[in-house]
Every structure is written in C-alpha cells, then in structure tokens.
Amino acid sequence: MNQVPRYFELMQPVIQTLKELGGSGSIEEIDEQVVQLLGLPEVVASQPHNPEKSSATELQYRLAWARTYLKKYGLIENSSRGVWAIVPDKRHIETIDAQEIV
C-alpha cells in the first residue's frame, strides 16, 4: 500500500482531472483519469482497501478522502450523487497547496 499515493498527494490530480473533464465528472471518470494521469500500474490501482468490509480499492478510498478535503475547503462540490464539480468561482485555480487544505 505504500505505493498508493496518500490522499493529500491526490488533491492536485483530482483538480487537474476535473479541469480536463470540463469542470465535472463522475467518481468513476475521476478515478480512471487520475490513474492515467499518474501512470499508476494496475497492481497499485487495484490494491484492496479492506476486502472483508468493502470492494473498494485503497486508491478509491484515498481519492474519496481527497475529494472530501477539497469539498470542505470549498474548491469542489458534489453536484449530484456520484458527480463532482469544481465550484464555478474557483475554476480559475490551477494549483493548490494540499498542506494548507489539510
């Protein structure tokens, strides 16, 4: 699991991915695009988080936390179930400081 990026390391890729997707995307689109963006091998992207309790991968779990922090900071919103979008007045932001957000 030490090869899976930590949640705060995923914040900038989530923002970049949403920009590439036109400002919004489904969880699945975001997850797939982040894997491609970071060039993560399948063995890393598919590591289970907690196979006894969930079918989610460790990457999906950490991406969910990254989205949660970005939402609490006011950069993205959950526009509808399973769809995330950059807040309209924040679309100009290119880079973020993950340490400041955390």
XYZ file of all heavy atoms in Angstrom:
815
model
N 0.821 -1.218 0.000
C 0.000 0.000 0.000
C 0.851 1.263 0.000
O 0.352 2.330 -0.247
C -0.926 0.005 1.208
C -2.223 -0.702 0.952
S -3.489 -0.313 2.135
C -3.251 -1.629 3.284
N 2.139 1.113 0.280
C 2.981 2.305 0.318
C 3.226 2.888 -1.069
O 3.761 3.969 -1.186
C 4.297 2.021 1.033
C 5.002 0.776 0.498
O 4.487 0.092 -0.384
N 6.149 0.480 1.054
N 2.808 2.189 -2.142
C 2.931 2.740 -3.488
C 1.708 3.559 -3.886
O 1.764 4.319 -4.842
C 3.142 1.620 -4.502
C 4.472 0.914 -4.353
C 4.631 -0.188 -5.379
O 3.650 -0.769 -5.832
N 5.856 -0.465 -5.757
N 0.615 3.405 -3.154
C -0.596 4.170 -3.441
C -0.384 5.583 -2.903
O -0.041 5.758 -1.733
C -1.845 3.529 -2.781
C -3.088 4.345 -3.055
C -2.025 2.089 -3.249
N -0.566 6.595 -3.759
C -0.389 7.971 -3.275
C -1.300 8.264 -2.084
O -2.427 7.777 -2.009
C -0.788 8.827 -4.479
C -0.631 7.931 -5.654
C -0.950 6.553 -5.160
N -0.785 9.058 -1.155
C -1.574 9.455 0.009
C -2.654 10.442 -0.436
O -2.528 11.079 -1.481
C -0.661 10.043 1.067
C 0.294 8.952 1.623
C 1.319 9.512 2.523
N 2.292 10.243 1.699
C 3.423 10.739 2.149
N 3.766 10.605 3.401
N 4.236 11.401 1.348
N -3.702 10.553 0.370
C -4.854 11.362 -0.032
C -4.467 12.792 -0.372
O -4.965 13.364 -1.330
C -5.969 11.318 1.027
C -5.663 12.122 2.261
C -6.090 13.439 2.364
C -4.945 11.581 3.318
C -5.800 14.193 3.483
C -4.655 12.315 4.437
C -5.083 13.623 4.521
O -4.789 14.371 5.622
N -3.555 13.389 0.381
C -3.186 14.786 0.096
C -2.352 14.896 -1.174
O -2.325 15.945 -1.800
C -2.497 15.452 1.297
C -1.248 14.771 1.771
C -0.028 15.055 1.199
C -1.307 13.847 2.807
C 1.122 14.435 1.637
C -0.166 13.222 3.257
C 1.053 13.506 2.667
N -1.706 13.803 -1.583
C -0.969 13.796 -2.841
C -1.908 13.646 -4.033
O -1.504 13.868 -5.169
C 0.039 12.640 -2.850
C 1.126 12.784 -1.804
C 1.980 11.539 -1.666
O 1.451 10.415 -1.770
O 3.193 11.709 -1.437
N -3.143 13.284 -3.767
C -4.139 13.093 -4.827
C -4.990 14.336 -5.080
O -5.728 14.397 -6.055
C -5.050 11.910 -4.478
C -4.352 10.551 -4.475
C -5.237 9.500 -3.813
C -3.992 10.138 -5.891
N -4.886 15.329 -4.222
C -5.741 16.517 -4.359
C -5.493 17.271 -5.668
O -6.429 17.596 -6.380
C -5.559 17.447 -3.165
C -6.119 16.892 -1.891
S -5.887 18.079 -0.556
C -6.306 17.066 0.837
N -4.230 17.559 -5.969
C -3.915 18.269 -7.213
C -4.329 17.449 -8.434
O -4.955 18.000 -9.346
C -2.419 18.626 -7.269
C -2.036 19.420 -8.504
C -2.653 20.812 -8.529
O -2.617 21.524 -7.539
N -3.220 21.199 -9.663
N -4.041 16.131 -8.477
C -4.519 15.340 -9.614
C -6.045 15.335 -9.762
O -6.555 15.316 -10.884
C -3.987 13.933 -9.332
C -2.769 14.160 -8.503
C -3.103 15.364 -7.654
N -6.780 15.390 -8.652
C -8.249 15.454 -8.739
C -8.670 16.759 -9.397
O -9.506 16.771 -10.306
C -8.912 15.286 -7.352
C -10.383 15.674 -7.400
C -8.756 13.855 -6.853
N -8.075 17.873 -8.973
C -8.405 19.181 -9.573
C -8.043 19.180 -11.056
O -8.839 19.603 -11.901
C -7.676 20.328 -8.830
C -8.206 20.482 -7.406
C -7.794 21.644 -9.599
C -9.643 20.949 -7.297
N -6.851 18.698 -11.389
C -6.404 18.662 -12.776
C -7.345 17.790 -13.617
O -7.715 18.153 -14.733
C -4.978 18.133 -12.860
C -4.397 18.196 -14.254
C -2.936 17.781 -14.283
O -2.246 17.763 -13.258
N -2.453 17.449 -15.461
N -7.738 16.658 -13.075
C -8.652 15.751 -13.778
C -9.994 16.417 -14.027
O -10.538 16.333 -15.133
C -8.836 14.453 -12.968
O -7.603 13.730 -12.998
C -9.938 13.594 -13.532
N -10.538 17.078 -13.022
C -11.826 17.758 -13.207
C -11.719 18.835 -14.277
O -12.641 19.003 -15.080
C -12.319 18.342 -11.882
C -12.860 17.316 -10.892
C -13.092 17.952 -9.523
C -14.149 16.691 -11.414
N -10.605 19.542 -14.313
C -10.402 20.547 -15.366
C -10.383 19.881 -16.746
O -10.995 20.366 -17.679
C -9.120 21.340 -15.117
C -9.239 22.336 -13.989
C -7.932 23.114 -13.845
C -8.137 24.289 -12.945
N -8.877 25.383 -13.555
N -9.662 18.761 -16.853
C -9.582 18.047 -18.125
C -10.937 17.484 -18.556
O -11.198 17.342 -19.750
C -8.558 16.907 -18.031
C -7.126 17.404 -17.952
C -6.119 16.301 -17.698
O -6.488 15.108 -17.667
O -4.932 16.639 -17.527
N -11.780 17.177 -17.586
C -13.117 16.655 -17.883
C -14.137 17.770 -18.118
O -15.324 17.503 -18.218
C -13.592 15.734 -16.744
C -12.833 14.418 -16.578
C -13.257 13.717 -15.283
C -13.071 13.512 -17.777
N -13.681 19.002 -18.173
C -14.581 20.120 -18.444
C -15.198 20.731 -17.200
O -16.163 21.483 -17.287
N -14.670 20.407 -16.034
C -15.160 21.021 -14.800
C -15.916 20.084 -13.889
O -16.103 20.380 -12.721
N -16.369 18.955 -14.424
C -17.078 17.996 -13.571
C -16.908 16.584 -14.112
O -16.563 16.392 -15.286
C -18.560 18.333 -13.475
O -19.210 18.084 -14.700
N -17.152 15.620 -13.239
C -17.052 14.235 -13.663
C -17.597 13.294 -12.612
O -17.713 13.656 -11.433
N -17.916 12.104 -13.045
C -18.383 11.080 -12.112
C -17.188 10.535 -11.328
O -16.030 10.700 -11.732
C -19.066 9.938 -12.873
O -18.108 9.202 -13.618
N -17.481 9.872 -10.245
C -16.428 9.270 -9.441
C -15.591 8.329 -10.303
O -14.366 8.344 -10.245
C -17.025 8.536 -8.224
C -17.619 9.552 -7.248
C -15.977 7.672 -7.530
C -18.421 8.938 -6.119
N -16.253 7.519 -11.113
C -15.539 6.552 -11.956
C -14.635 7.260 -12.966
O -13.496 6.848 -13.184
C -16.537 5.645 -12.689
C -17.323 4.731 -11.787
C -18.504 5.418 -11.090
O -18.965 6.501 -11.540
O -18.958 4.881 -10.062
N -15.144 8.333 -13.582
C -14.331 9.095 -14.542
C -13.108 9.697 -13.858
O -11.998 9.654 -14.401
C -15.152 10.217 -15.176
C -16.218 9.758 -16.134
C -17.112 10.892 -16.592
O -17.431 11.806 -15.793
O -17.495 10.859 -17.777
N -13.321 10.258 -12.681
C -12.224 10.877 -11.936
C -11.181 9.822 -11.577
O -9.987 10.010 -11.803
C -12.747 11.594 -10.675
C -13.651 12.758 -11.069
C -11.589 12.066 -9.800
C -14.476 13.324 -9.930
N -11.648 8.694 -11.042
C -10.727 7.629 -10.643
C -9.889 7.146 -11.828
O -8.663 7.044 -11.728
C -11.492 6.448 -10.036
C -12.117 6.766 -8.678
O -11.916 7.883 -8.162
O -12.806 5.876 -8.141
N -10.542 6.871 -12.938
C -9.835 6.377 -14.126
C -8.825 7.403 -14.646
O -7.701 7.057 -15.009
C -10.836 6.037 -15.237
C -11.654 4.802 -14.968
C -12.732 4.574 -16.021
O -12.652 5.159 -17.118
O -13.667 3.803 -15.730
N -9.234 8.656 -14.686
C -8.363 9.712 -15.217
C -7.156 9.938 -14.309
O -6.051 10.166 -14.802
C -9.170 11.007 -15.381
C -8.457 12.093 -16.120
C -8.437 11.871 -17.618
O -9.155 11.028 -18.153
N -7.595 12.617 -18.291
N -7.347 9.865 -12.998
C -6.232 10.048 -12.065
C -5.223 8.912 -12.234
O -4.017 9.146 -12.241
C -6.720 10.155 -10.600
C -5.566 10.030 -9.619
C -7.447 11.478 -10.374
N -5.708 7.685 -12.414
C -4.807 6.544 -12.645
C -3.969 6.793 -13.891
O -2.751 6.598 -13.884
C -5.608 5.218 -12.763
C -4.732 4.100 -13.309
C -6.209 4.828 -11.419
N -4.609 7.256 -14.962
C -3.887 7.545 -16.202
C -2.916 8.707 -16.019
O -1.774 8.657 -16.467
C -4.865 7.852 -17.333
C -5.624 6.648 -17.809
C -6.599 7.005 -18.930
O -6.866 8.171 -19.202
N -7.125 5.982 -19.577
N -3.388 9.768 -15.386
C -2.568 10.968 -15.178
C -1.292 10.642 -14.408
O -0.209 11.117 -14.755
C -3.386 12.026 -14.431
C -2.705 13.332 -14.091
C -2.414 14.115 -15.363
C -3.571 14.153 -13.164
N -1.422 9.836 -13.370
C -0.275 9.500 -12.535
C 0.512 8.300 -13.061
O 1.577 7.980 -12.536
C -0.738 9.222 -11.099
C -1.382 10.403 -10.369
C -1.843 9.981 -8.983
C -0.423 11.583 -10.286
N -0.036 7.649 -14.084
C 0.642 6.479 -14.640
C 0.769 5.339 -13.649
O 1.785 4.647 -13.616
N -0.261 5.153 -12.848
C -0.216 4.107 -11.828
C -0.403 2.726 -12.465
O -1.335 2.519 -13.233
C -1.310 4.327 -10.775
C -1.195 5.606 -9.960
C -2.403 5.758 -9.054
C 0.083 5.597 -9.143
N 0.454 1.782 -12.115
C 0.278 0.430 -12.632
C -0.978 -0.216 -12.037
O -1.402 0.132 -10.938
C 1.534 -0.309 -12.182
C 2.277 0.585 -11.276
C 1.637 1.933 -11.314
N -1.546 -1.150 -12.768
C -2.776 -1.825 -12.336
C -2.616 -2.464 -10.956
O -3.535 -2.434 -10.152
C -3.174 -2.881 -13.368
C -4.426 -3.652 -13.027
C -5.684 -2.794 -12.908
O -5.758 -1.740 -13.559
O -6.593 -3.183 -12.144
N -1.446 -3.004 -10.676
C -1.222 -3.658 -9.382
C -1.357 -2.659 -8.224
O -1.815 -3.020 -7.147
C 0.146 -4.392 -9.352
C 1.306 -3.417 -9.405
C 0.244 -5.308 -8.160
N -0.994 -1.412 -8.455
C -1.140 -0.373 -7.425
C -2.585 0.110 -7.371
O -3.176 0.222 -6.295
C -0.183 0.807 -7.695
C -0.446 1.969 -6.752
C 1.264 0.350 -7.590
N -3.164 0.385 -8.535
C -4.525 0.926 -8.591
C -5.581 -0.054 -8.082
O -6.649 0.363 -7.655
C -4.864 1.344 -10.020
N -5.281 -1.341 -8.118
C -6.293 -2.334 -7.746
C -6.105 -2.935 -6.354
O -6.825 -3.861 -5.985
C -6.317 -3.453 -8.788
O -5.077 -4.130 -8.792
N -5.169 -2.405 -5.571
C -4.972 -2.932 -4.217
C -6.240 -2.728 -3.398
O -6.764 -1.623 -3.319
C -3.810 -2.227 -3.521
C -2.469 -2.585 -4.063
C -1.353 -1.850 -3.336
O -1.550 -1.196 -2.325
N -0.155 -1.950 -3.881
N -6.732 -3.796 -2.770
C -7.963 -3.659 -1.973
C -7.728 -2.816 -0.728
O -6.637 -2.839 -0.146
C -8.325 -5.094 -1.620
C -7.077 -5.882 -1.792
C -6.225 -5.156 -2.776
N -8.755 -2.089 -0.326
C -8.666 -1.293 0.899
C -8.897 -2.175 2.108
O -8.051 -2.296 2.977
C -9.676 -0.135 0.878
C -9.818 0.553 2.200
N -8.775 1.230 2.789
C -10.857 0.635 3.057
C -9.180 1.709 3.957
N -10.425 1.357 4.143
N -10.060 -2.767 2.178
C -10.410 -3.667 3.281
C -11.350 -4.723 2.717
O -12.569 -4.561 2.776
C -11.063 -2.889 4.419
C -11.304 -3.742 5.637
O -11.225 -4.957 5.588
N -11.604 -3.099 6.755
N -10.793 -5.792 2.161
C -11.612 -6.768 1.438
C -12.718 -7.421 2.267
O -13.703 -7.887 1.717
C -10.598 -7.802 0.953
C -9.315 -7.508 1.622
C -9.390 -6.131 2.192
N -12.571 -7.417 3.578
C -13.595 -8.018 4.430
C -14.829 -7.134 4.556
O -15.917 -7.617 4.842
C -13.020 -8.325 5.813
C -11.910 -9.355 5.762
C -11.189 -9.507 7.089
O -11.597 -8.873 8.080
O -10.198 -10.248 7.118
N -14.668 -5.832 4.352
C -15.778 -4.895 4.558
C -16.243 -4.193 3.297
O -17.338 -3.651 3.269
C -15.378 -3.839 5.591
C -15.158 -4.386 6.970
C -14.877 -3.269 7.939
C -14.686 -3.819 9.339
N -14.460 -2.751 10.301
N -15.381 -4.159 2.265
C -15.715 -3.341 1.100
C -15.033 -3.885 -0.149
O -14.008 -4.554 -0.069
C -15.253 -1.905 1.365
O -15.274 -1.138 0.205
N -15.605 -3.533 -1.291
C -14.972 -3.904 -2.552
C -14.108 -2.758 -3.098
O -13.535 -2.869 -4.171
C -16.036 -4.283 -3.583
O -16.854 -3.164 -3.858
N -14.020 -1.675 -2.351
C -13.252 -0.502 -2.788
C -11.755 -0.791 -2.746
O -11.264 -1.543 -1.901
C -13.563 0.698 -1.911
N -11.045 -0.153 -3.670
C -9.586 -0.244 -3.654
C -9.027 0.821 -2.713
O -9.725 1.777 -2.339
C -8.997 -0.024 -5.058
O -9.252 1.327 -5.457
C -9.577 -1.012 -6.066
N -7.773 0.654 -2.344
C -7.118 1.653 -1.498
C -7.074 3.002 -2.214
O -7.276 4.046 -1.606
C -5.712 1.197 -1.113
C -5.018 2.107 -0.130
C -5.693 2.177 1.238
O -6.395 1.228 1.638
O -5.501 3.209 1.907
N -6.843 2.986 -3.519
C -6.817 4.230 -4.284
C -8.187 4.911 -4.254
O -8.267 6.124 -4.030
C -6.382 3.977 -5.726
C -6.298 5.208 -6.607
C -5.238 6.184 -6.093
C -6.001 4.825 -8.044
N -9.248 4.159 -4.457
C -10.597 4.740 -4.408
C -10.875 5.347 -3.033
O -11.459 6.427 -2.927
C -11.650 3.678 -4.734
C -11.641 3.243 -6.172
C -12.500 2.017 -6.414
O -12.669 1.160 -5.538
N -13.060 1.931 -7.621
N -10.451 4.650 -1.995
C -10.633 5.131 -0.621
C -9.903 6.464 -0.422
O -10.466 7.425 0.108
C -10.113 4.069 0.350
C -10.197 4.452 1.800
C -11.404 4.390 2.489
C -9.054 4.842 2.496
C -11.465 4.732 3.830
C -9.115 5.187 3.835
C -10.325 5.120 4.497
O -10.390 5.464 5.824
N -8.670 6.526 -0.878
C -7.884 7.751 -0.699
C -8.379 8.881 -1.593
O -8.342 10.054 -1.202
C -6.406 7.456 -0.939
C -5.839 6.535 0.135
C -4.390 6.219 -0.063
N -3.945 5.247 0.927
C -2.684 4.890 1.089
N -1.736 5.422 0.321
N -2.354 3.993 1.996
N -8.860 8.549 -2.785
C -9.453 9.578 -3.652
C -10.716 10.154 -3.017
O -10.979 11.353 -3.131
C -9.756 9.006 -5.035
C -8.558 8.902 -5.975
C -8.888 8.014 -7.175
C -8.113 10.280 -6.435
N -11.481 9.315 -2.349
C -12.684 9.807 -1.664
C -12.298 10.805 -0.575
O -12.955 11.843 -0.415
C -13.470 8.633 -1.071
N -11.232 10.526 0.161
C -10.773 11.465 1.183
C -10.251 12.749 0.543
O -10.492 13.846 1.056
C -9.711 10.840 2.076
C -10.327 10.048 3.177
C -10.339 8.698 3.327
C -11.070 10.580 4.288
N -11.039 8.352 4.453
C -11.497 9.482 5.074
C -11.419 11.850 4.690
C -12.246 9.640 6.232
C -12.172 12.014 5.855
C -12.577 10.910 6.609
N -9.559 12.637 -0.564
C -9.071 13.834 -1.261
C -10.247 14.716 -1.668
O -10.219 15.939 -1.470
C -8.245 13.436 -2.483
N -11.294 14.106 -2.231
C -12.487 14.879 -2.622
C -13.149 15.512 -1.403
O -13.600 16.667 -1.457
C -13.478 13.988 -3.374
C -13.024 13.583 -4.755
C -14.127 12.900 -5.546
N -14.694 11.748 -4.864
C -14.247 10.493 -4.986
N -13.209 10.232 -5.769
N -14.838 9.505 -4.340
N -13.199 14.776 -0.301
C -13.813 15.309 0.921
C -13.076 16.554 1.403
O -13.704 17.571 1.728
C -13.825 14.232 2.031
O -14.636 13.142 1.588
C -14.373 14.778 3.339
N -11.760 16.504 1.447
C -10.984 17.672 1.879
C -11.151 18.838 0.917
O -11.282 19.989 1.341
C -9.503 17.312 2.032
C -9.176 16.733 3.379
C -9.202 15.357 3.595
C -8.840 17.553 4.448
C -8.899 14.819 4.837
C -8.543 17.028 5.700
C -8.574 15.656 5.881
O -8.281 15.131 7.115
N -11.144 18.557 -0.385
C -11.336 19.623 -1.375
C -12.720 20.248 -1.245
O -12.888 21.455 -1.421
C -11.121 19.079 -2.787
C -9.680 18.702 -3.130
C -9.629 17.910 -4.431
C -8.799 19.941 -3.220
N -13.717 19.449 -0.913
C -15.072 19.963 -0.714
C -15.130 20.841 0.539
O -15.679 21.946 0.513
C -16.071 18.818 -0.592
C -17.490 19.286 -0.364
C -18.450 18.132 -0.233
C -19.864 18.646 0.032
N -20.822 17.538 0.173
N -14.554 20.364 1.638
C -14.566 21.142 2.879
C -13.836 22.468 2.720
O -14.183 23.456 3.353
C -13.959 20.338 4.024
C -14.850 19.226 4.497
C -14.261 18.506 5.688
C -15.222 17.439 6.171
N -14.848 16.908 7.469
N -12.823 22.482 1.847
C -12.060 23.704 1.595
C -12.805 24.651 0.650
O -12.435 25.802 0.496
C -10.695 23.334 1.021
C -9.683 24.449 1.074
C -9.128 24.863 2.276
C -9.263 25.070 -0.091
C -8.198 25.878 2.318
C -8.320 26.084 -0.055
C -7.799 26.486 1.153
O -6.869 27.492 1.196
N -13.843 24.148 -0.018
C -14.651 24.991 -0.891
C -14.231 25.012 -2.343
O -14.660 25.895 -3.094
N -13.409 24.059 -2.772
C -12.949 24.045 -4.162
C -13.830 23.212 -5.082
O -13.951 23.517 -6.259
C -11.511 23.525 -4.243
C -10.449 24.420 -3.625
C -9.088 23.734 -3.671
C -10.390 25.745 -4.355
N -14.404 22.142 -4.544
C -15.279 21.302 -5.361
C -16.576 21.070 -4.617
O -16.679 21.312 -3.412
C -14.617 19.950 -5.747
C -14.377 19.068 -4.524
C -13.336 20.183 -6.525
C -13.865 17.665 -4.874
N -17.576 20.611 -5.370
C -18.875 20.308 -4.775
C -19.395 19.010 -5.362
O -19.010 18.610 -6.455
C -19.864 21.446 -5.019
C -20.130 21.717 -6.496
C -20.953 22.965 -6.736
O -21.383 23.605 -5.770
O -21.154 23.299 -7.912
N -20.257 18.388 -4.602
C -20.906 17.161 -5.040
C -22.234 17.591 -5.654
O -23.240 17.686 -4.986
C -21.090 16.260 -3.820
C -21.467 14.848 -4.149
O -22.162 14.235 -3.384
N -21.021 14.313 -5.245
N -22.185 17.886 -6.953
C -23.334 18.498 -7.620
C -24.554 17.579 -7.678
O -25.678 18.044 -7.657
C -22.944 18.973 -9.019
O -22.417 17.901 -9.775
N -24.322 16.299 -7.793
C -25.386 15.302 -7.687
C -24.747 13.995 -7.266
O -23.522 13.880 -7.249
C -26.150 15.156 -9.007
O -25.301 14.673 -10.021
N -25.530 13.009 -6.966
C -24.978 11.757 -6.446
C -23.940 11.178 -7.421
O -24.251 10.889 -8.566
C -26.092 10.757 -6.210
C -25.611 9.479 -5.571
C -26.776 8.607 -5.157
N -26.318 7.343 -4.639
C -25.966 7.128 -3.384
N -26.000 8.116 -2.504
N -25.577 5.930 -2.991
N -22.726 11.038 -6.921
C -21.667 10.443 -7.714
C -21.025 11.371 -8.729
O -20.196 10.934 -9.512
N -21.401 12.659 -8.714
C -20.818 13.622 -9.659
C -20.182 14.761 -8.868
O -20.806 15.344 -7.991
C -21.886 14.180 -10.629
C -21.284 15.226 -11.553
C -22.504 13.053 -11.440
N -18.942 15.053 -9.209
C -18.197 16.114 -8.548
C -17.845 17.192 -9.552
O -17.599 16.898 -10.720
C -16.926 15.541 -7.930
C -17.231 14.672 -6.760
C -17.572 13.344 -6.799
C -17.275 15.047 -5.397
N -17.814 12.893 -5.535
C -17.640 13.917 -4.651
C -17.044 16.241 -4.729
C -17.770 13.939 -3.272
C -17.167 16.266 -3.352
C -17.524 15.125 -2.634
N -17.830 18.441 -9.085
C -17.548 19.567 -9.968
C -16.732 20.620 -9.232
O -16.864 20.788 -8.014
C -18.847 20.189 -10.465
N -15.904 21.315 -9.988
C -15.191 22.461 -9.429
C -16.221 23.564 -9.210
O -17.050 23.829 -10.077
C -14.080 22.943 -10.380
C -13.057 21.821 -10.602
C -13.407 24.189 -9.836
C -12.006 22.147 -11.642
N -16.161 24.201 -8.055
C -17.068 25.300 -7.750
C -16.848 26.379 -8.813
O -15.696 26.727 -9.123
C -16.792 25.840 -6.330
C -17.619 27.068 -6.025
C -17.050 24.742 -5.297
N -17.928 26.909 -9.408
C -17.783 27.843 -10.534
C -16.803 28.991 -10.317
O -16.014 29.300 -11.210
C -19.210 28.363 -10.749
C -20.072 27.226 -10.295
C -19.331 26.617 -9.122
N -16.818 29.613 -9.149
C -15.913 30.753 -8.950
C -14.480 30.330 -8.612
O -13.617 31.176 -8.408
C -16.460 31.715 -7.902
C -16.553 31.108 -6.521
O -16.657 29.874 -6.405
O -16.532 31.884 -5.543
N -14.197 29.030 -8.618
C -12.843 28.519 -8.348
C -12.213 27.875 -9.581
O -11.127 27.343 -9.513
C -12.870 27.481 -7.217
C -13.496 27.947 -5.945
C -12.657 28.979 -5.259
C -13.312 29.317 -3.924
N -12.724 30.432 -3.256
N -12.881 27.943 -10.714
C -12.380 27.268 -11.920
C -11.075 27.853 -12.450
O -10.376 27.207 -13.210
C -13.445 27.288 -13.018
C -14.586 26.380 -12.656
C -15.455 26.048 -13.789
N -16.460 25.092 -13.315
C -17.514 24.750 -13.976
N -17.728 25.274 -15.168
N -18.357 23.887 -13.489
N -10.749 29.050 -12.027
C -9.502 29.688 -12.476
C -8.268 29.135 -11.767
O -7.153 29.306 -12.237
C -9.580 31.200 -12.235
C -9.632 31.552 -10.781
N -10.777 31.434 -10.027
C -8.666 31.976 -9.939
C -10.520 31.792 -8.778
N -9.245 32.122 -8.703
N -8.451 28.462 -10.652
C -7.326 27.949 -9.861
C -6.617 26.840 -10.613
O -7.250 25.895 -11.081
C -7.819 27.465 -8.478
C -8.314 28.663 -7.665
C -6.708 26.717 -7.741
C -8.933 28.303 -6.341
N -5.309 26.966 -10.743
C -4.513 25.968 -11.449
C -3.807 25.012 -10.482
O -3.743 23.822 -10.740
C -3.465 26.656 -12.344
C -4.071 27.424 -13.499
C -4.810 26.548 -14.495
O -4.374 25.407 -14.731
O -5.846 26.998 -15.020
N -3.230 25.556 -9.430
C -2.528 24.716 -8.470
C -3.053 24.995 -7.058
O -3.564 26.090 -6.783
C -1.000 24.965 -8.486
O -0.762 26.348 -8.187
C -0.402 24.624 -9.828
N -2.916 23.975 -6.225
C -3.373 24.115 -4.839
C -2.240 23.728 -3.907
O -1.303 23.048 -4.296
C -4.611 23.222 -4.566
C -4.277 21.755 -4.857
C -5.807 23.684 -5.372
C -5.295 20.785 -4.361
N -2.358 24.147 -2.670
C -1.418 23.777 -1.624
C -2.109 22.763 -0.725
O -2.928 23.128 0.129
C -0.985 25.014 -0.835
C 0.026 24.706 0.245
O 0.286 23.516 0.523
O 0.564 25.661 0.825
N -1.829 21.500 -0.940
C -2.504 20.436 -0.191
C -2.277 20.562 1.314
O -3.174 20.285 2.103
C -2.046 19.064 -0.683
N -1.098 20.999 1.701
C -0.817 21.146 3.138
C -1.712 22.222 3.761
O -2.161 22.067 4.892
C 0.668 21.475 3.367
C 1.598 20.366 2.937
C 1.314 19.042 3.628
O 0.980 18.989 4.796
N 1.442 17.966 2.881
N -1.968 23.287 3.026
C -2.866 24.331 3.520
C -4.289 23.794 3.657
O -4.992 24.095 4.628
C -2.858 25.530 2.568
C -3.780 26.661 2.997
C -3.792 27.805 2.018
O -2.733 28.095 1.412
O -4.858 28.398 1.837
N -4.715 23.001 2.710
C -6.066 22.432 2.728
C -6.239 21.492 3.911
O -7.252 21.520 4.603
C -6.371 21.733 1.401
C -6.458 22.778 0.298
C -7.652 20.909 1.480
C -6.544 22.218 -1.113
N -5.229 20.664 4.149
C -5.302 19.708 5.260
C -5.250 20.465 6.558
O -5.950 20.211 7.486
C -4.141 18.681 5.175
C -4.121 17.788 6.404
C -4.272 17.836 3.918
